[in-house]
Amino acid sequence: MKSSDLRRKFIDYFTAPPRSHREVPSGSLVPPDDPTLLFTNAGMVQFKRVFQGLERRDYARAVTCQKCVRAGGKHNDLEQVGYTARHHTFFEMLCNFSFGDYFKKEAIAYAWEWVTGTDWLGLDPQRLFITVHHADDEARKLWRSVAGVPDDRIYGLGDKDNFWQMGDTGPCGPCSEILVDIRSTERGARSRELGLDEFVRLSEAGQLLEIWNLVFMQYDQRADGARSALPAPSVDTGAGLERIAAVMQTVASNYDTDLFQPLIEQAVSIVGRPYDRGPGGAPYRVLADHARAVAVLLADGVYPSNEGRGYVLRRILRRAVRYAWLLGRREPTLAPLTQAVNAVMGPVYPELPQKAAHIERVTRAEEERFLETIEGGLARLGQLANQSAISGEEAFQLYDTFGFPIDLTQMIAGERTQAVDVAGFEQALEKQRRRSRAARKAGMGDGGRGKRGVGEWVELKKKVRQQWIGYETTRAETEPIAFRQTGDQLELILEDNPFYAESGGQVSDTGVVKGDGWELTVEAVEKVDGKSAVVGTFGDPFEPTPALAQVNEARRRNIERNHTATHLVHAALRKILGTHVRQAGSVVAPDRLRFDFSHHGPITDEALAHIEEEVNEQIWANLPVATRDMAYKEAIAAGAMAFFTEKYGDRVRVVDVPGVSLELCGGTHVPTTGQIALFRFTHETGAAAGVRRIEALTGPAAYRHALDLQHRLAEAAGLLKTQPEHLARRIEAMLEENRKL
Ligand code: SER
């Protein structure tokens, strides 16, 4: 069965009465209202607000074929692509949805009919297995009564496998999967019953292949860790097209299906070397996969850049150039391949043929740009091959001079089992950012005609100074004073700017800027000539008007929790380990904090527990966090901690937690330490010689982490039919019994 027939049959089945679903086109890969998500990674993303009851549609049942990308963000499959039969950066998902309409019974009946019905996939029920959430007796019963699946083919699994959520927040619920036994494709081959262990082992080995996931949406996961009920129980199903195509075309790998073969054939004809289905064929599989991802991302308005989504696109593209290089190519390969992508997918996604020329042009320009430097970079990497590790400074040179993204350097080093000092790389990168900021401040700004070179800055209000208002507020009515459009990317300089631009380890804000008839989702904030520019994807010509700027507030609050906690942990480390401890770098993000510091040797569990408790005590004391401007000398005399490699002006900003911590810092902080709520370490490792690294969580993330541990403990106890407090004793008894046996 051809993949185009598969898509069509799926839509036909669900639109036909009495199922009567509305056919809805795929949503964009860039979720328009959701700055928390890098790319659309599941079919339900475009319906998130409908599930939450925040938006109504004139239909309660929908069917889609959705474009998804899993690269760069939380779901990141990039590294595996090329080396496995199933991993992709871009893939298609067949989905049917109920928004408060039907629930488990119909969802199961439809899924079963489509998968086994002779008019549809017609798979033999004897090759199929089902999983349900172990607490979902209702679903188990329905698989028996509605679909006639025998009980010994239904497996109850825990949250890890059978509870689906779109991200840290949003709709979620228990799920149920259909798996097909691909060990034999002979007609009439029967799969014998399998014990739970064997079932798990075979599914992890990919021999039982999950082809469909039915999520019974019931809850909304909130940022504060609580789960509320959705307005109505709903259904979200997803079936990976590539793997169903592999099953239906009885081929071992997704790359052998008609979705990829024309691309691989085209690549073979461009390159002129044969394709090998084994490990040697990885470069071709990478090219086929990456050509698809590059084409669909460009069609949806993502533009290669050094930030956010654009940087993920650039990394995919450069990874492809390197594999083409391995095949002997010295000129663009992906650009002509995007035409083959259009031929295969254009009939389904009209934006591809519409933007074919743009896709080809931008891909070619990006490939040419990297081809200018890749040889020098590979030669440099060759010279470094005999060293035990690649230092941060060398990795930075590869990035800065030869355009090698750090993951590309890691991948090439990894192929010869050589480590890369990523922390050192990040420090070098940050140092360069500081240098270029300083250069711009000194009047050497490129005015938009420098490195990037494509778009021109348009000045709207001359001689107006930008005001940074982000310490006081996260929202402002303001006006753009300049903008630049480069491809589908818009950079905007706002007169009153509440958006924090990455600095001192604290990541940039995200949010939205809304004007009259336009809206920009802020994905990144950059420094341009000493001003902050908000950046996002914007396909249409930009017509400036006054605007409302709104920082993503919940995200900023979590960043502030982590930033103040970073100061507290610095102070606690110095108190408990000694005053030789000095900050050597940090990352302050919404979901975690990372802190590197000078110290020799690992830290004992006992000391770590002590430090954690010390930080929490300062939180429970609910101390005020004061900020003030001081003369630099005065601040240092008062004992303020500073990075001594950094150059400061005469007047500095200090953040003061009285009696605990005093640091030079330009970041944003909670007003009182109590708002951090909770502090938990998650990791302690070495980052480089003489530098330790800790990672930790605060507030909602720390709470969720604790809940997660509790659930896992309860799950383990449940499996052993005991209570969490008796778990250790139960395991001891089992081990003892095993020994005896
Ligand atoms: N959202 C679920 C998944 O991605 C089902 O569509 O698997």
Side-chain angles (χ1 to χ4, degrees), residues 142-445:
L142 287 166
W143 280 109
R144 284 201 306 252
S145 62
V146 174
V149 179
D151 205 40
D152 55 21
R153 287 195 171 243
I154 307 174
Y155 298 85
L157 300 178
D159 283 0
K160 187 170 99 16
D161 295 293
N162 283 58
F163 192 91
W164 196 88
Q165 57 191 95
M166 77 169 267
D168 292 338
T169 59
C172 55
C175 62
S176 180
E177 296 174 347
I178 303 178
L179 293 91
V180 59
D181 189 339
I182 57 168
R183 288 173 298 170
S184 167
T185 52
E186 303 282 313
R187 275 219 82 74
R190 301 262 185 280
S191 314
R192 63 180 172 79
E193 290 139 31
L194 302 169
L196 179 64
D197 289 350
E198 200 180 355
F199 171 83
V200 170
R201 188 174 54 73
L202 289 173
S203 52
E204 279 172 359
Q207 292 184 309
L208 302 180
L209 184 65
E210 179 220 320
I211 52 165
W212 205 346
N213 185 15
L214 281 59
V215 185
F216 307 124
M217 289 289 193
Q218 273 163 286
Y219 312 104
D220 193 7
Q221 176 74 53
R222 294 201 316 247
D224 63 6
R227 260 182 210 160
S228 51
L230 289 179
S234 297
V235 171
D236 152 33
T237 77
L241 176 70
E242 292 76 5
R243 43 179 67 197
I244 296 190
V247 171
M248 297 309 292
Q249 294 169 17
T250 56
V251 291
S253 159
N254 295 2
Y255 289 93
D256 294 336
T257 65
D258 63 348
L259 289 161
F260 288 92
Q261 275 305 304
L263 307 182
I264 292 179
E265 277 163 24
Q266 168 83 5
V268 166
S269 85
I270 296 171
V271 170
R273 287 194 194 180
Y275 172 58
D276 156 13
R277 289 202 149 71
Y284 277 120
R285 291 188 288 274
V286 168
L287 284 172
D289 174 277
H290 290 10
R292 290 177 8 129
V294 165
V296 291
L297 286 169
L298 282 166
D300 272 356
V302 181
Y303 198 81
S305 75
N306 279 338
E307 295 274 343
R309 296 184 174 115
Y311 195 50
V312 178
L313 172 56
R314 178 163 281 170
R315 278 161 48 203
I316 295 175
L317 226 142
R318 294 195 171 179
R319 189 172 185 265
V321 173
R322 189 264 173 164
Y323 278 97
W325 186 274
L326 288 180
L327 290 170
R329 288 285 292 173
R330 300 295 178 260
E331 57 225 284
T333 314
L334 276 191
L337 258 191
T338 59
Q339 289 166 1
V341 174
N342 272 345
V344 178
M345 299 207 301
V348 194
Y349 303 107
E351 60 278 19
L352 286 168
Q354 274 160 19
K355 295 208 177 169
H358 166 80
I359 294 169
E360 208 273 343
R361 191 164 24 88
V362 178
T363 308
R364 181 174 297 277
E366 265 293 299
E367 283 188 279
E368 280 170 352
R369 186 166 161 184
F370 190 44
L371 282 165
E372 280 171 19
T373 56
I374 186 173
E375 187 165 14
L378 290 173
R380 181 80 197 116
L381 269 164
Q383 288 161 2
L384 301 173
N386 294 330
Q387 299 188 3
S388 62
I390 294 181
S391 71
E393 201 48 53
E394 279 152 355
F396 176 74
Q397 286 295 326
L398 282 159
Y399 164 84
D400 195 42
T401 314
F402 302 108
F404 275 49
I406 183 71
D407 49 353
L408 185 57
T409 299
Q410 278 177 294
M411 182 178 85
I412 297 172
E415 288 166 0
R416 53 196 195 208
T417 61
Q418 189 183 26
V420 181
D421 175 11
V422 180
F425 165 80
E426 279 167 12
Q427 279 166 21
L429 187 64
E430 180 54 28
K431 230 195 276 168
Q432 186 223 32
R433 287 197 180 130
R434 265 188 248 134
R435 270 198 308 272
S436 61
R437 273 200 294 272
R440 286 202 206 98
K441 260 189 209 145
M444 291 155 58

Side-chain angles (χ1 to χ4, degrees), residues 494-513:
L494 299 170
E495 184 167 351
D496 292 319
N497 171 45
F499 287 91
Y500 188 83
E502 179 175 336
S503 168
Q506 178 174 335
V507 300
S508 294
D509 282 327
T510 61
V512 67
V513 183

Side-chain angles (χ1 to χ4, degrees), residues 360-581:
E360 208 273 343
R361 191 164 24 88
V362 178
T363 308
R364 181 174 297 277
E366 265 293 299
E367 283 188 279
E368 280 170 352
R369 186 166 161 184
F370 190 44
L371 282 165
E372 280 171 19
T373 56
I374 186 173
E375 187 165 14
L378 290 173
R380 181 80 197 116
L381 269 164
Q383 288 161 2
L384 301 173
N386 294 330
Q387 299 188 3
S388 62
I390 294 181
S391 71
E393 201 48 53
E394 279 152 355
F396 176 74
Q397 286 295 326
L398 282 159
Y399 164 84
D400 195 42
T401 314
F402 302 108
F404 275 49
I406 183 71
D407 49 353
L408 185 57
T409 299
Q410 278 177 294
M411 182 178 85
I412 297 172
E415 288 166 0
R416 53 196 195 208
T417 61
Q418 189 183 26
V420 181
D421 175 11
V422 180
F425 165 80
E426 279 167 12
Q427 279 166 21
L429 187 64
E430 180 54 28
K431 230 195 276 168
Q432 186 223 32
R433 287 197 180 130
R434 265 188 248 134
R435 270 198 308 272
S436 61
R437 273 200 294 272
R440 286 202 206 98
K441 260 189 209 145
M444 291 155 58
D446 62 20
R449 288 171 301 280
K451 253 193 180 169
R452 289 242 205 102
V454 185
E456 290 288 330
W457 276 102
V458 179
E459 225 177 327
L460 300 165
K461 292 175 97 182
K462 295 207 189 306
K463 301 215 169 86
V464 175
R465 281 172 65 103
Q466 181 182 53
Q467 296 293 330
W468 155 244
I469 53 169
Y471 288 141
E472 299 89 41
T473 180
T474 49
R475 185 184 162 89
E477 282 179 25
T478 182
E479 281 182 53
I481 50 181
F483 74 91
R484 174 165 66 169
Q485 237 176 333
T486 314
D488 293 336
Q489 175 177 285
L490 176 65
E491 295 160 278
L492 213 56
I493 297 181
L494 299 170
E495 184 167 351
D496 292 319
N497 171 45
F499 287 91
Y500 188 83
E502 179 175 336
S503 168
Q506 178 174 335
V507 300
S508 294
D509 282 327
T510 61
V512 67
V513 183
K514 283 187 203 170
D516 190 7
W518 60 270
E519 184 171 320
L520 178 73
T521 300
V522 177
E523 295 159 14
V525 188
E526 285 173 357
K527 283 286 190 189
V528 178
D529 287 344
K531 301 186 191 79
S532 295
V534 293
V535 188
T537 307
F538 200 87
D540 302 327
F542 178 59
E543 299 285 346
T545 67
L548 180 71
Q550 173 72 61
V551 172
N552 181 336
E553 173 94 23
R555 184 176 177 277
R556 164 78 88 78
R557 295 297 162 241
N558 284 331
I559 293 173
E560 291 177 348
R561 289 189 171 93
N562 284 332
H563 203 156
T564 309
T566 305
H567 288 204
L568 296 181
V569 83
H570 192 186
L573 286 165
R574 286 171 63 84
K575 181 167 163 188
I576 289 156
L577 299 180
T579 49
H580 61 280
V581 167

Side-chain angles (χ1 to χ4, degrees), residues 59-139:
Y59 48 85
R61 300 174 166 213
V63 56
T64 67
C65 176
Q66 174 67 46
K67 300 179 284 187
C68 299
V69 164
R70 290 188 180 172
K74 193 179 160 116
H75 300 273
N76 187 5
D77 292 339
L78 188 56
E79 279 166 38
Q80 283 96 329
V81 172
Y83 297 98
T84 72
R86 314 274 170 227
H87 283 97
H88 305 293
T89 49
F90 165 78
F91 64 97
E92 292 170 85
M93 210 189 262
L94 303 172
C95 315
N96 63 283
F97 303 99
S98 150
F99 310 116
D101 188 48
Y102 61 82
F103 199 42
K104 294 182 192 177
K105 186 170 166 213
E106 292 84 345
I108 288 174
Y110 297 158
W112 193 251
E113 185 176 12
W114 193 69
V115 169
T116 62
T118 42
D119 288 344
W120 313 104
L121 294 191
L123 290 175
D124 184 346
Q126 302 288 339
R127 289 176 66 200
L128 301 178
F129 294 87
I130 302 293
T131 66
V132 294
H133 189 267
H134 64 74
D136 193 352
D137 288 338
E138 191 191 357

